[in-house]
């Protein structure tokens, strides 16, 4: 175990400012033995050692995309529709900033029925997510504020190509700003982790992201890194109205997004400063550090399905790799048993807090409005849930 000098672990806001212990040593894990039989295949069904995980679930990672939600608050009071699109584009790019320091691990795959909530009075939003499908794995979330509502469902297809691993997200992000009657929709781009087996791992994002809101659109290109160039992490694009360019955007998803022409451009967004010793703590930002914290004064309000109660994830956060590995195997076994029982009884699984819908001819998942109502009355302690772990 790494020796790190003990420091106060709570910030002035009362939320923790560091994880309990540094990331444990991964030990002698042979990724090649695990992956060699799966080159070019979707890895969503392959069980990985717990040391390849970070102590957050995919549901919490979706919440982490709200780290720069102030961009949406600013958009909600911006009269100019083109400037609103610039701010929304900056928000869409900002969700990738944290991945620069997270090439070493991946989030836990949520169990079917697992949930996560986050009420951030300091940021003015409340978020709920649920794992609505296991095969294929689909995570759905809904985030609401007085100024906006955001929802999405995402399925991640994972492919191993020998030296790299690709994560291809399938799904659409939706954002409404009621004050202006706006409804933005956009796709996500491909994430790739390089040097997966040896050397220094690093993350790349590439592909085209298109954001649409009525006649106003924004096309952003995340440039794929080249082995023949030192340039990495670049993104550029433009805001258009019926095809006519109104604003130019450029920057790096690791450093910031600018609007205008080079030399006189205005900075729209920059990522926050990383915590001290962040590399020892999974590369987590301050916001990410707070996500898995259990508040003792509100824990009784959470459903037992909340990611923060997941034992393998908690053991990993506390540095107990052996305990985390045993718990991961146990609860994955329980999930297989539940699925087998449903198949034998010919029962179709129904999520608790999200429902299927159709959007543009494609299936999607939206909130059914029950989560916050049940939380208030009768309270989750009085609601029956499937025992996940």
């Amino acid at each position: 175990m790494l020796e790190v000098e003990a420091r106060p672990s709570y910030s002035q806001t009362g939320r923790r400012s560091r994880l309990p212990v540094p990331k444990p040593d991964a030990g002698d894990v042979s990724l090649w033995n695990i992956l060699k039989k799966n080159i070019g295949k979707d890895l969503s069904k392959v069980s990985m050692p717990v040391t390849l995980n970070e102590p957050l679930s995919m549901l919490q990672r979706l919440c982490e995309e709200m780290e720069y939600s102030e961009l949406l608050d600013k958009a909600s009071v911006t009269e100019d529709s083109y400037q609103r699109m610039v701010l929304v584009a900056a928000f869409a790019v900002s969700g990738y900033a944290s991945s620069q320091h997270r090439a070493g691990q991946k989030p836990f795959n949520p169990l079917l029925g697992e949930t996560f909530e986050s009420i951030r009075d300091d940021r003015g939003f409340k978020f709920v997510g649920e794992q609505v499908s296991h095969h294929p794995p689909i995570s759905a979330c809904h985030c609401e504020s007085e100024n906006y509502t955001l929802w999405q469902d995402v399925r991640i297809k994972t492919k191993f190509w020998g030296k790299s691993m690709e994560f291809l997200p399938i799904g659409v992000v939706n954002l409404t700003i009621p004050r202006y009657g706006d409804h933005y929709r956009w796709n996500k781009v491909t994430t790739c982790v390089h040097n997966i087996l040896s050397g220094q791992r690093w993350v790349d994002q590439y592909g085209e992201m298109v954001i649409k809101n009525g006649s106003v659109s924004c096309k952003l290109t995340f440039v794929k890194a080249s082995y023949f160039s030192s340039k990495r992490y670049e993104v550029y694009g433009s805001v258009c109205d019926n095809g006519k360019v109104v604003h130019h955007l450029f920057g790096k998803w690791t450093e910031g997004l600018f609007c205008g022409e080079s030399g006189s451009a205005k900075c729209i967004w920059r990522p926050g400063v990383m915590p001290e010793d962040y590399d020892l703590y999974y590369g987590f930002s301050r916001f990410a550090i707070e996500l898995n914290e259990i508040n003792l004064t509100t824990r009784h309000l959470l459903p037992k399905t909340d990611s923060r109660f997941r034992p393998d994830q908690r053991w990993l956060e506390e540095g107990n790799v052996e305990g985390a590995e045993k718990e991961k195997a146990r609860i994955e076994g329980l999930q297989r048993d539940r699925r087998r029982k449903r198949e034998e009884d010919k029962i179709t699984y129904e999520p608790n807090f999200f429902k299927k819908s159709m959007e543009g001819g494609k299936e999607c998942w939206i909130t059914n409005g029950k989560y916050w109502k049940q939380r208030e009355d009768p309270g989750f302690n009085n609601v029956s849930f499937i025992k996940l772990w």
Side-chain angles (χ1 to χ4, degrees), residues 174-193:
N174 288 266
L175 168 72
T176 57
I177 300 180
R179 181 176 181 180
Y180 302 109
D182 291 343
H183 187 162
Y184 301 86
R185 298 175 178 87
W186 68 89
N187 64 291
K188 292 182 172 179
V189 298
T190 297
T191 298
C192 184
V193 179

Side-chain angles (χ1 to χ4, degrees), residues 62 65-66 72 91 126-127 141-145 148-152 173-176 186:
L62 289 178
E65 293 178 12
M66 300 303 300
L72 301 183
F91 172 80
K126 58 182 182 180
F127 170 102
C141 68
H142 183 90
C143 183
E144 55 191 79
S145 149
Y148 59 84
T149 301
L150 182 146
W151 68 97
Q152 64 172 307
V173 185
N174 288 266
L175 168 72
T176 57
W186 68 89

Side-chain angles (χ1 to χ4, degrees), residues 230-343:
S230 60
K231 291 184 178 181
R232 291 181 182 177
Y233 317 131
E234 292 189 339
V235 58
Y236 67 88
S238 56
V239 173
C240 298
D241 190 347
N242 285 318
K244 182 180 179 181
V245 176
V246 181
H247 292 299
H248 291 284
L249 301 173
F250 67 94
K252 294 186 176 184
W253 51 265
T254 56
E255 296 179 7
L257 190 70
F258 297 81
C259 179
E261 302 298 332
S262 182
S264 60
K266 178 184 178 182
C267 181
I268 307 301
W269 160 80
R270 287 187 192 276
V273 177
M274 292 295 289
E276 187 178 355
D277 297 329
Y278 68 87
D279 53 329
L280 301 182
Y281 293 88
Y282 299 93
F284 282 6
S285 67
R286 288 175 172 81
F287 187 66
I289 288 170
E290 299 168 353
L291 289 171
N292 202 46
E293 179 182 16
I294 294 182
N295 186 317
L296 297 180
T297 61
T298 58
R299 66 175 295 162
H300 67 284
L301 299 174
L302 300 174
K304 300 303 180 184
T305 53
D306 194 281
S307 298
R308 281 162 286 199
F309 294 128
R310 182 169 172 163
D312 51 352
Q313 187 172 298
R314 182 62 59 186
W315 278 125
L316 179 63
E317 182 183 274
E318 295 178 357
N320 186 340
V321 173
E322 184 179 352
E325 200 70 76
K326 289 179 180 178
E327 283 295 281
K328 185 172 184 286
R330 182 182 70 83
I331 65 177
E332 287 178 350
L334 290 175
Q335 176 162 248
R336 286 191 293 271
D337 292 344
R338 289 192 297 272
R339 183 184 186 187
R340 189 160 47 244
K341 184 72 166 60
R342 285 195 305 273
E343 290 174 346

Side-chain angles (χ1 to χ4, degrees), residues 23 50-58 60-61 64 98 101-108 281-284 288 313 316-317:
K23 178 179 68 175
V50 76
T51 49
L52 297 181
N53 289 105
E54 61 183 22
L56 289 176
S57 75
M58 184 62 195
Q60 290 166 310
R61 283 293 291 266
E64 191 179 354
S98 65
H101 308 293
R102 308 273 275 279
Q105 276 75 31
K106 70 179 192 70
F108 279 83
Y281 293 88
Y282 299 93
F284 282 6
Q313 187 172 298
L316 179 63
E317 182 183 274

Side-chain angles (χ1 to χ4, degrees), residues 8-11 15-19 275 286 289-290 293:
S9 58
Y10 289 88
S11 66
R15 297 179 184 272
R16 68 182 186 182
S17 57
R18 67 190 303 133
L19 297 178
R286 288 175 172 81
I289 288 170
E290 299 168 353
E293 179 182 16

Side-chain angles (χ1 to χ4, degrees), residues 81-123:
S81 62
Y82 307 134
Q83 287 296 330
R84 288 201 301 277
M85 178 60 85
V86 168
L87 289 162
V88 171
F91 172 80
V93 171
S94 74
Y96 294 96
S98 65
S99 64
Q100 178 189 8
H101 308 293
R102 308 273 275 279
Q105 276 75 31
K106 70 179 192 70
F108 279 83
N109 294 326
L111 301 170
L112 184 62
E114 186 172 332
T115 61
F116 177 71
E117 75 161 60
S118 179
I119 300 176
R120 296 299 299 243
D121 294 332
D122 57 331
R123 295 172 181 262

